């Protein structure tokens, strides 16, 4: 790669980055799924099936240590990892008569997302609203919007960014919250996703 290995953040968006010396297959798959471009998720599965370690190194200095991806190893150093996805669209879908968004509605929405080849990066729902943060690589959003509008009330915000932090600290989250307008925040055990504008 053109970087030292797997970094905890994309140097295009963060001034300070740290080389991750080792990560597990699971962490590598999660980072790739969330949008870290240094490893493709399909690279990991065949290696994991055969317990083959992966070494990610810089092509200019291949003798450098780089990052080792292997089964069961702990993330080292254990620090927050940041993934930024720009040019996202946050879509909020609700029923026209304020009835509940039920499983059949969600199924219809996912079928349309699949039909128009639109990738979903975040999902959140309440009783009357279903929100998705999407990526429109094939420029089909207008078709999706028109189709959704037939049965639902649809609002959307374009050009938002999705920041995912693995092993997050509240200091990192506070810094992002102080520097950006927060549209949506979703917290899991070790991962936080924040949509900003």
């Amino acid at each position: 790669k053109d970087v030292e290995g797997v970094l905890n953040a994309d140097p295009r968006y963060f001034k300070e980055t740290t080389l991750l010396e080792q990560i597990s297959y699971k962490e590598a798959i999660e980072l790739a799924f969330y949008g870290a471009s240094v490893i493709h998720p399909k690279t990991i599965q065949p290696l994991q099936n055969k317990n083959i370690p992966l070494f990610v190194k810089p092509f200019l200095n291949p003798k450098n240590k780089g990052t080792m991806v292997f089964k069961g190893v702990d993330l080292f150093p254990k620090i927050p990892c940041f993934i930024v996805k720009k040019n996202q669209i946050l879509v909020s879908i609700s029923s026209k008569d304020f009835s509940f968004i039920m499983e059949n509605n969600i199924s219809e929405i996912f079928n349309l997302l699949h039909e128009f080849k639109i990738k979903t990066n975040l999902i959140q729902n309440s009783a009357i609203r279903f929100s998705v943060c999407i990526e429109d690589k094939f420029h089909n959003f207008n078709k999706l919007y028109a189709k959704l509008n037939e049965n639902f009330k649809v609002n959307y915000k374009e050009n938002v960014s999705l920041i995912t932090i693995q092993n997050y600290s509240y200091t990192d989250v506070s810094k992002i919250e102080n520097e950006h307008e927060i549209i949506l925040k979703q917290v899991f055990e070790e991962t936080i996703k924040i949509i900003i504008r």
Side-chain angles (χ1 to χ4, degrees):
K1 294 290 180 175
D2 59 351
V3 289
E4 288 300 303
V6 180
L7 304 176
N8 75 317
D10 190 328
R12 292 174 298 176
Y13 307 127
F14 294 87
K15 290 178 184 175
E16 295 179 16
T17 60
T18 302
L19 175 69
L20 302 174
E21 294 180 28
Q22 63 182 42
I23 58 175
S24 67
Y25 292 130
K26 177 182 172 288
E27 286 162 330
I29 289 168
E30 285 185 353
L31 290 173
F33 177 80
Y34 292 137
S37 58
V38 73
I39 300 174
H40 194 282
K42 290 182 180 176
T43 305
I44 302 298
Q45 187 177 11
L47 298 175
Q48 183 179 13
N49 290 344
K50 298 280 187 181
N51 278 333
I52 299 171
L54 169 68
F55 292 90
V56 182
K57 297 187 173 200
F59 50 72
L60 293 177
N61 298 300
K63 292 187 177 179
N64 286 12
K65 189 173 183 179
T67 302
M68 181 182 76
V69 182
F70 195 54
K71 179 182 179 181
V73 296
D74 290 332
L75 176 69
F76 182 80
K78 185 88 170 174
I79 56 173
C81 298
F82 300 83
I83 298 118
V84 177
K85 291 191 134 198
K86 292 188 173 278
N87 303 314
Q88 304 288 293
I89 305 170
L90 180 61
V91 185
S92 182
I93 304 161
S94 54
S95 58
K96 291 183 175 180
D97 62 358
F98 294 101
S99 60
F100 291 151
I101 294 288
M102 302 298 287
E103 288 80 2
N104 60 319
N105 305 122
I106 295 170
S107 176
E108 180 182 347
I109 293 164
F110 272 111
N111 284 333
L112 290 170
L113 289 165
H114 176 72
E115 179 183 336
F116 294 112
K117 299 179 182 175
I118 294 179
K119 186 175 187 289
T120 303
N121 292 315
L122 180 143
I123 302 164
Q124 186 163 310
N125 70 299
S126 66
I128 60 170
R129 182 176 295 117
F130 185 78
S131 299
V132 285
C133 182
I134 61 170
E135 214 169 297
D136 185 23
K137 285 184 182 178
F138 300 101
H139 308 289
N140 288 328
F141 177 69
N142 289 337
K143 294 176 191 171
L144 172 71
Y145 178 75
K147 198 74 176 165
L148 285 170
N149 254 329
E150 292 175 9
N151 297 319
F152 302 100
K153 181 181 174 186
V154 183
N155 295 309
Y156 64 92
K157 291 181 169 100
E158 294 182 285
N159 298 317
V160 299
S161 294
L162 172 63
I163 299 176
T164 303
I165 311 172
Q166 286 275 88
N167 307 309
Y168 69 92
S169 73
Y170 287 105
T171 304
D172 298 313
V173 175
S174 295
K175 186 176 180 193
I176 289 168
E177 289 176 337
N178 291 334
E179 293 175 356
H180 301 280
E181 176 192 351
I182 307 300
I183 300 171
L184 190 148
K185 184 164 67 171
Q186 200 174 73
V187 182
F188 302 97
E189 288 180 3
E190 293 185 346
T191 305
I192 190 164
K193 292 185 166 202
I194 305 170
I195 297 176
I196 62 167
R197 191 182 343 230

